[in-house]
Amino acid sequence: MNSTLGETDAESVDVVNFLTQSPVRVAILQRLRETDRLTKAELREEADASRVTVQRNLDALEERELIRCRIREYEIRPLGEVVAEELASTTETMAFVERIRPFCRWFPDDELEFDVCALADATVVVSDSTDPYAPVNRHIEAMERADRFRCLLPAIGLPALTVARERVVEHDQPLEVVHSATLESTLRSEPEYRELVAEIRAHEACTMRVADRELTYYLGLFDDVVQIGVEDDDGIPRALVETDAAEIRAWAEETYERHREQSEPLSL
């Protein structure tokens, strides 16, 4: 029985390989699923491939009984409909996986308490050689737009702290921060940081607290969105996701409150 199951699995894998080893086959199936009938010339234009390549793949799909040719026009068959639908779903899933990969690479697995699929519609901002501070800039942009801001903060730079001071002192923006203990030493020892923090803390709309443990990711709760940011092992910001998904919001609220309850007031 195990042998039979193995043979069935092998056959299924062969079919998947047959379909996905050629982007042209996928394109043909998806286009015929969307349109009643297309000529070979139309399919060649849609697939952006040579005449020989398109013909070879049309023949292969016909042999598998996924499509058929009628009076020089091709149409999808019932089995082709099933396969095309599944391919579309799989392609969409893999596109999401690749888009979210930079975030998941650095988010700690043991703290992943929400379904990653809830980030399907999230905006993903990634740092790269052309814009190494893209996640930080997105964080700052959100602060500039918000009426209220709460966050878990493992680290901070002067640009973000300067904007925080401006929003609190000049615009009366409520600010609540729970930050890592290691960040406290920076706020104490660096004059520029210390002065900005002193101005922020002097405002009644601001609360700054120290977490009882090291924070491994940034969590920002704004009026209408949640941001989650991750760093690499050297503390370099790598990716940030921004979402208004209800599931993520609920997780973020619970997570922030848990850390806040276990934190102590900052005493500089």
Side-chain angles (χ1 to χ4, degrees):
M1 188 169 182
N2 290 335
S3 175
T4 302
L5 180 59
E7 291 172 3
T8 302
D9 289 345
E11 291 173 1
S12 300
V13 170
D14 285 343
V15 173
V16 172
N17 288 337
F18 160 76
L19 291 166
T20 58
Q21 70 184 1
S22 170
V24 174
R25 289 175 196 167
V26 176
I28 289 172
L29 277 177
Q30 290 178 338
R31 195 66 187 95
L32 288 177
R33 179 171 174 255
E34 298 166 357
T35 309
D36 288 340
R37 293 183 181 184
L38 289 171
T39 65
K40 187 190 307 181
E42 289 170 331
L43 285 168
R44 188 167 66 243
E45 183 176 345
E46 294 283 346
D48 191 24
S50 69
R51 179 180 60 80
V52 173
T53 297
V54 170
Q55 185 61 65
R56 182 172 65 250
N57 285 285
L58 286 171
D59 292 342
L61 290 168
E62 271 197 286
E63 185 178 344
R64 294 272 181 164
E65 299 179 350
L66 301 178
I67 67 172
R68 63 184 164 201
C69 182
R70 283 187 172 179
I71 317 175
R72 298 184 180 180
E73 289 186 323
Y74 288 86
E75 64 182 9
I76 197 164
R77 299 190 68 183
L79 287 179
E81 291 273 6
V82 174
V83 170
E85 183 175 354
E86 290 301 320
L87 278 175
S89 176
T90 301
T91 300
E92 184 178 336
T93 298
M94 295 312 299
F96 163 68
V97 167
E98 290 306 308
R99 190 166 60 87
I100 206 72
R101 186 188 300 278
F103 169 77
C104 290
R105 178 180 301 148
W106 299 109
F107 193 92
D109 290 349
D110 57 353
E111 297 196 49
L112 191 61
E113 300 169 336
F114 56 85
D115 185 351
V116 174
C117 292
L119 296 173
D121 296 324
T123 297
V124 183
V125 181
V126 180
S127 63
D128 56 31
S129 58
T130 62
D131 193 356
Y133 297 105
V136 175
N137 292 335
R138 184 75 177 202
H139 160 63
I140 291 175
E141 290 169 7
M143 279 200 299
E144 291 173 333
R145 296 192 308 267
D147 293 326
R148 182 190 182 199
F149 175 44
R150 293 169 290 158
C151 73
L152 301 179
L153 203 61
I156 193 170
L158 277 176
L161 191 59
T162 301
V163 171
R165 177 260 170 211
E166 175 187 327
R167 297 299 300 171
V168 171
V169 176
E170 299 179 16
H171 299 278
D172 293 323
Q173 178 195 60
L175 172 66
E176 297 178 20
V177 178
V178 178
H179 61 73
S180 287
T182 51
L183 180 55
E184 186 173 10
S185 62
T186 300
L187 301 180
R188 287 178 180 277
S189 61
E190 298 293 334
E192 289 180 286
Y193 284 84
R194 192 167 59 246
E195 292 173 11
L196 287 170
V197 169
E199 287 190 70
I200 292 172
R201 293 183 66 221
H203 200 282
E204 62 181 10
C206 174
T207 300
M208 298 186 73
R209 303 178 67 87
V210 183
D212 67 340
R213 70 194 71 175
E214 288 306 304
L215 302 175
T216 54
Y217 57 88
Y218 151 69
L219 176 64
L221 292 89
F222 297 89
D223 310 309
D224 54 354
V225 297
V226 170
Q227 289 185 338
I228 313 171
V230 289
E231 303 174 339
D232 63 18
D233 296 334
D234 296 320
I236 305 300
R238 288 301 183 187
L240 178 145
V241 295
E242 183 178 285
T243 178
D244 60 0
E247 180 180 339
I248 302 300
R249 185 79 190 194
W251 165 81
E253 293 280 357
E254 191 278 332
T255 299
Y256 175 79
E257 287 303 322
R258 184 174 71 248
H259 282 282
R260 188 181 188 283
E261 289 172 2
Q262 298 171 352
S263 65
E264 297 292 338
L266 174 64
S267 58
L268 289 183

